[in-house]
Amino acid sequence: MGRVHNLIEQHGRQGALSFVEDRKEVDVAFDFMSDETGGVGFLFSGWCQAALPHRKQPDDHVWVIETDHTKLLVEPGSLHTSKGVVRVGVPYGSRARLILLYLQTEAIKTNSREIELGRSLRVWLGKLGVSIGGKSMKEVRDQALRLSRCRMTFQVAKGKQTGIVNQNIVDTALFTNDDTGALLETVKLSEGFFEQLKHHPVPLQESAIRAISNNSQALDIYCWLAYRLHALPSDCQISWPALYAQFGRSYARLRKFRENFLDSLKIALAVYPEADVTANEHGLILRQSHPAVPKRLARKAGLLISD
């Protein structure tokens, strides 16, 4: 268990603040530790190695992340309007990540690429603390449109083999195109993406996602650690340049990225007490850790952790 979690257990939320400078770290850890709702979510392993942008990009901008083992390319989609064809831009931020997590979680739990939307999505977002009306729902609708229209390419190397997924994420839009802009009853994941998801799902604690649902970078780091730590054969040093290539696409300078990354890392570790991670001047040292989701819970959900 991490230091902040031990402090909370020994001194309570307020007492822990006497020992920890970052109040956000304490608040997030406390929220995670006191969450009794439970639940397991699932994410395609490719999304744990390369993620969407944190902020809005120009509508015609192509998003590219390239690391030693993974390459992600997201091309913006188009929309036919009364003014002609317009680009809608690539999805971004925490809302896009939460929608993706919902779609993939439901697909794994039901073993079907046809996902219920409408009330089901609204309830799930509500459980994560996302308001389901007004400005927040407008943001969800915007990200759903972007996810529906974009085209992604994942190129993942494993040993000497390289797998390529070149697909739309879903086969249909998530919202109607009429004036109501209502959620459709169901949506289908594309067949290619669904097959990759079934072969390479990563289990995540929904209580962890709930606690950091508004922090897109912390979400990315948590998902990455959940994917990597339990499978490490030995200690692994990740350099700052390598971290910058994977997580720093939105930053112009390595120094600024490093400062923000360390802040987000603390938040990610606050919802992953078992994670054994140390930051130093060279980067991060990762050590084999217990899975973010205990194997018994993953098995209960019908999943054997193998990826």
Side-chain angles (χ1 to χ4, degrees):
M1 186 172 290
R3 174 174 175 265
V4 67
H5 307 91
N6 286 325
L7 289 171
I8 291 172
E9 282 197 343
Q10 294 170 17
H11 305 284
R13 184 180 199 162
Q14 289 302 121
L17 291 172
S18 302
F19 301 90
V20 180
E21 293 182 5
D22 190 341
R23 183 184 184 92
K24 181 67 173 176
E25 180 184 3
V26 174
D27 289 344
V28 167
F30 180 82
D31 289 345
F32 170 73
M33 294 171 70
S34 58
D35 189 332
E36 298 180 354
T37 307
V40 178
F42 299 97
L43 199 64
F44 169 51
S45 62
W47 286 119
C48 298
Q49 302 172 71
L52 296 170
H54 301 297
R55 295 183 290 274
K56 184 177 181 180
Q57 306 293 304
D59 287 343
D60 60 351
H61 182 75
V62 176
W63 179 254
V64 181
I65 296 289
E66 188 166 6
T67 68
D68 290 342
H69 303 289
T70 305
K71 182 176 182 179
L72 167 66
L73 183 147
V74 184
E75 300 171 88
S78 300
L79 186 65
H80 291 270
T81 71
S82 58
K83 297 180 181 179
V85 178
V86 297
R87 289 284 198 178
V88 296
V90 300
Y92 65 91
S94 61
R95 299 294 184 259
R97 287 160 169 79
L98 296 180
I99 295 169
L100 274 174
L101 180 61
Y102 171 77
L103 296 176
Q104 293 170 82
T105 297
E106 289 299 299
I108 289 294
K109 288 183 175 180
T110 62
N111 193 31
S112 171
R113 66 189 183 101
E114 188 168 288
I115 312 301
E116 287 189 13
L117 293 176
R119 183 176 181 276
S120 298
L121 176 58
R122 291 174 185 269
V123 169
W124 190 79
L125 289 172
K127 287 180 179 178
L128 292 180
V130 177
S131 172
I132 54 175
K135 180 182 177 181
S136 183
M137 201 58 197
K138 183 178 179 181
E139 293 172 350
V140 169
R141 185 177 288 106
D142 176 55
Q143 295 307 317
L145 172 64
R146 292 165 181 265
L147 285 166
S148 301
R149 298 288 177 172
C150 77
R151 185 173 180 83
M152 68 174 186
T153 302
F154 268 111
Q155 186 170 318
V156 182
K158 194 167 186 179
K160 295 182 179 180
Q161 296 182 330
T162 300
I164 297 177
V165 184
N166 189 0
Q167 288 281 347
N168 287 40
I169 298 170
V170 296
D171 280 347
T172 58
L174 279 71
F175 288 83
T176 61
N177 289 326
D178 58 25
D179 293 337
T180 65
L183 272 168
L184 296 173
E185 289 299 315
T186 60
V187 67
K188 273 189 177 181
L189 294 183
S190 66
E191 187 172 357
F193 181 72
F194 179 57
E195 288 302 314
Q196 288 297 316
L197 170 63
K198 286 197 298 182
H199 286 93
H200 308 289
V202 176
L204 307 168
Q205 290 273 19
E206 285 193 352
S207 54
I209 302 298
R210 257 189 296 278
I212 59 176
S213 61
N214 287 319
N215 189 324
S216 60
Q217 188 169 60
L219 284 168
D220 290 348
I221 297 170
Y222 168 72
C223 294
W224 174 61
L225 294 177
Y227 166 71
R228 291 219 56 185
L229 292 183
H230 76 92
L232 287 175
S234 59
D235 293 359
C236 178
Q237 173 83 54
I238 311 292
S239 70
W240 283 115
L243 291 166
Y244 184 57
Q246 180 172 347
F247 296 100
R249 183 76 168 75
S250 298
Y251 297 89
R253 292 185 176 87
L254 174 59
R255 181 176 179 179
K256 184 64 176 177
F257 158 73
R258 178 172 169 172
E259 293 174 1
N260 289 336
F261 180 87
L262 288 172
D263 288 339
S264 296
L265 175 65
K266 287 191 295 184
I267 301 304
L269 294 177
V271 297
Y272 191 173
E274 301 83 6
D276 191 348
V277 179
T278 304
N280 57 33
E281 61 179 313
H282 304 295
L284 297 184
I285 298 175
L286 310 182
R287 301 178 181 87
Q288 188 180 64
S289 307
H290 290 296
V293 176
K295 290 185 178 181
R296 60 181 176 80
L297 293 181
R299 291 191 180 100
K300 188 175 181 180
L303 172 71
L304 292 177
I305 301 175
S306 60
D307 193 25

